[in-house]
């Protein structure tokens, strides 16, 4: 094997999580750099990145069901909302104005938020065995509007539109992470928490993708009839894909709003689902690293669009006027999705593959 370090000599080596020394080194350095940013960046930047990491967890979940399993879902915002309100209710005060159980520890409400969303996903999943393509997309889209109505009317839980309620309390072993303390500022603590959880969820998703379950997902995505012929039980794996994806979405919902400390029913609109779709398509379909890249891209794009009123006079920050910042964001998401689907269907991950292949083959063109 000496002199031929990239030669695979076993199936286990080919299926390794990081199959080359370069990947192991650069991944380790990237993770260390990400943790090091907690003491290098200002609090405002850390807050934006913490939100991006929470969104990346949700984007990985959507990529599992849409990218790996091939089941088109436009209802991701519905499962995010279930996770957010489950976490808020569990950690909320018992004698407060809204439903609360006083369980503020994150190791209690975070898994519960994911499980509540996963149960909802499993209940919806049987539709995936009967529908496909645009029909399934329309059904999942209906979940968003159904959820909007329920959450706006269930004021004991959500506080109602325009009022809202406090989000889940990020408390770990009695230490409040949403307050300045021995671990650093609020922004530093939440940044490290979101980054650590993102690493855990990303490793879990990557291991799932390269397992027997992941190969079954890929077979269903490529051709479900052929997958069934070779013995893949479609119902079981489609239900599993929706359940795992919804679990990720619920955990992302529980984490995302701990940063602002406030959750409101109007946040879980169709625009949120479109944002997750944009993260997956822009980052790269059926890739965990692409989901993270897409979430970072969309999250870092928002501060730029929010500063447009100061740069472009006819763009307003007032939602009652046209055009406003939020309308520009919606149009921009649509344009980015179209551009990437036409010119680079593999997204940012595809661009990285091109750069890497060019570097490895330089100065040759093949």
């Amino acid at each position: 094997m000496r002199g031929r370090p990239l030669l695979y000599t076993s199936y286990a080596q080919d299926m390794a999580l990081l199959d080359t020394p370069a990947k192991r080194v650069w991944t380790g350095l990237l993770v260390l750099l990400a943790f090091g940013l907690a003491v290098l960046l200002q609090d405002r930047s850390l807050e934006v990145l913490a939100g991006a990491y929470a969104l990346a967890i949700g984007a990985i979940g959507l990529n599992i069901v849409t990218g790996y399993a091939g089941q088109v879902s436009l209802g991701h915002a519905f499962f995010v909302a279930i996770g957010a309100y489950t976490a808020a209710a569990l950690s909320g005060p018992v004698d407060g104005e809204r439903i609360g159980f006083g369980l503020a520890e994150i190791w209690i409400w975070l898994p519960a938020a994911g499980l509540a969303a996963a149960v909802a996903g499993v209940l919806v999943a049987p539709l995936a065995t009967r529908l496909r393509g645009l029909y399934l997309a329309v059904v999942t889209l209906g979940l968003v509007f159904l959820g909007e109505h329920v959450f706006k009317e269930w004021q004991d839980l959500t506080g109602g539109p325009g009022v809202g309620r406090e989000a889940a309390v990020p408390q770990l072993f009695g230490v409040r992470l949403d307050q300045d303390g021995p671990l650093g500022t609020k922004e530093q603590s939440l940044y490290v928490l979101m980054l650590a959880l993102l690493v855990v969820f990303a490793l879990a998703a990557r291991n799932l993708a390269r397992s027997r379950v992941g190969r079954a997902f890929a077979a269903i995505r490529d051709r479900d009839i052929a997958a069934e012929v070779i013995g893949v039980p479609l119902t079981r794996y489609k239900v599993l894909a929706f359940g795992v994806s919804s679990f990720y979405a619920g955990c992302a919902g529980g984490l995302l709003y701990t940063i602002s400390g406030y959750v409101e029913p109007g946040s879980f609109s169709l625009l949120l689902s479109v944002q997750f779709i944009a993260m997956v398509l822009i980052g790269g379909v059926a890739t965990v690293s692409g989901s993270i890249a897409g979430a970072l891209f969309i999250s870092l794009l928002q501060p730029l669009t929010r500063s447009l009123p100061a740069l472009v006079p006819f763009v307003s920050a007032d939602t009652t006027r046209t055009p406003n910042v939020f309308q520009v964001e919606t149009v921009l998401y649509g344009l980015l999705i179209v551009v990437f689907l036409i010119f680079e269907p593999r997204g940012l991950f595809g661009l990285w593959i091109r750069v890497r292949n060019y570097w490895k083959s330089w100065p040759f063109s093949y």
Side-chain angles (χ1 to χ4, degrees), residues 16-77:
L17 183 64
L18 298 172
D19 54 358
T20 64
K23 287 183 180 180
R24 290 190 286 271
V25 171
W26 284 108
T27 301
L29 291 176
L30 189 61
V31 172
L32 290 177
L33 175 62
F35 278 104
L37 292 178
V39 295
L40 297 176
L41 296 180
Q42 297 181 351
D43 287 345
R44 175 55 186 163
S45 300
L46 293 177
E47 184 178 356
V48 173
L49 288 176
Y53 295 153
L55 288 172
I57 295 174
I60 292 173
L62 181 60
N63 222 339
I64 288 174
V65 70
T66 299
Y68 286 104
Q71 307 301 303
V72 181
S73 174
L74 296 178
H76 213 55

Side-chain angles (χ1 to χ4, degrees), residues 224-282:
D224 56 352
I225 297 177
E228 189 174 21
V229 169
I230 63 176
V232 177
L234 297 185
T235 302
R236 179 193 306 172
Y237 283 108
K238 286 184 178 181
V239 170
L240 182 60
F242 268 93
V244 174
S245 172
S246 302
F247 180 85
Y248 272 68
C251 291
L255 293 170
L256 180 61
Y257 296 94
T258 60
I259 300 172
S260 63
Y262 172 80
V263 57
E264 197 266 336
S267 304
F268 308 103
S269 62
L270 178 60
L271 178 59
L272 183 60
S273 287
V274 173
Q275 286 178 328
F276 278 111
I277 290 291
M279 293 173 196
V280 171
L281 294 179
I282 292 173

Side-chain angles (χ1 to χ4, degrees), residues 82-92 103 109-110 112-113 167-169 250 253-255 258:
I82 291 177
Y85 284 117
T86 300
L90 287 175
S91 67
L103 303 174
W109 59 253
L110 182 60
V169 177
L255 293 170
T258 60

Side-chain angles (χ1 to χ4, degrees), residues 116-245:
V119 170
V122 169
L123 294 177
V124 174
L127 298 174
T129 63
R130 299 177 178 271
L131 303 173
R132 67 182 69 179
L134 292 176
Y135 298 99
L136 179 59
V138 171
V139 169
T140 55
L141 178 62
L143 293 175
V144 177
F145 299 110
L146 177 63
E148 273 192 292
H149 175 74
V150 171
F151 294 129
K152 286 179 179 179
E153 296 298 325
W154 195 358
Q155 297 187 9
D156 289 339
L157 174 66
T158 67
V163 179
R165 66 169 296 163
E166 292 184 355
V169 177
Q171 179 175 307
L172 186 61
F173 303 115
V175 179
R176 291 281 296 264
L177 302 180
D178 59 342
Q179 298 175 354
D180 296 348
L183 299 179
T185 64
K186 164 191 171 182
E187 289 77 12
Q188 288 176 327
S189 300
L190 289 177
Y191 173 85
V192 173
L193 172 67
M194 300 301 172
L195 178 58
L197 290 174
L198 174 59
V199 171
V200 172
F201 279 99
L203 287 175
R206 187 66 187 91
N207 279 298
L208 178 69
R210 66 195 185 99
S211 67
R212 177 181 179 181
V213 175
R215 293 193 294 272
F217 286 169
I220 295 172
R221 175 195 62 203
D222 294 340
R223 190 66 175 175
D224 56 352
I225 297 177
E228 189 174 21
V229 169
I230 63 176
V232 177
L234 297 185
T235 302
R236 179 193 306 172
Y237 283 108
K238 286 184 178 181
V239 170
L240 182 60
F242 268 93
V244 174
S245 172

Side-chain angles (χ1 to χ4, degrees), residues 88-106:
L90 287 175
S91 67
V94 179
D95 54 352
E97 297 181 357
R98 314 299 172 201
I99 297 175
F101 297 93
L103 303 174
E105 290 290 332
I106 191 172

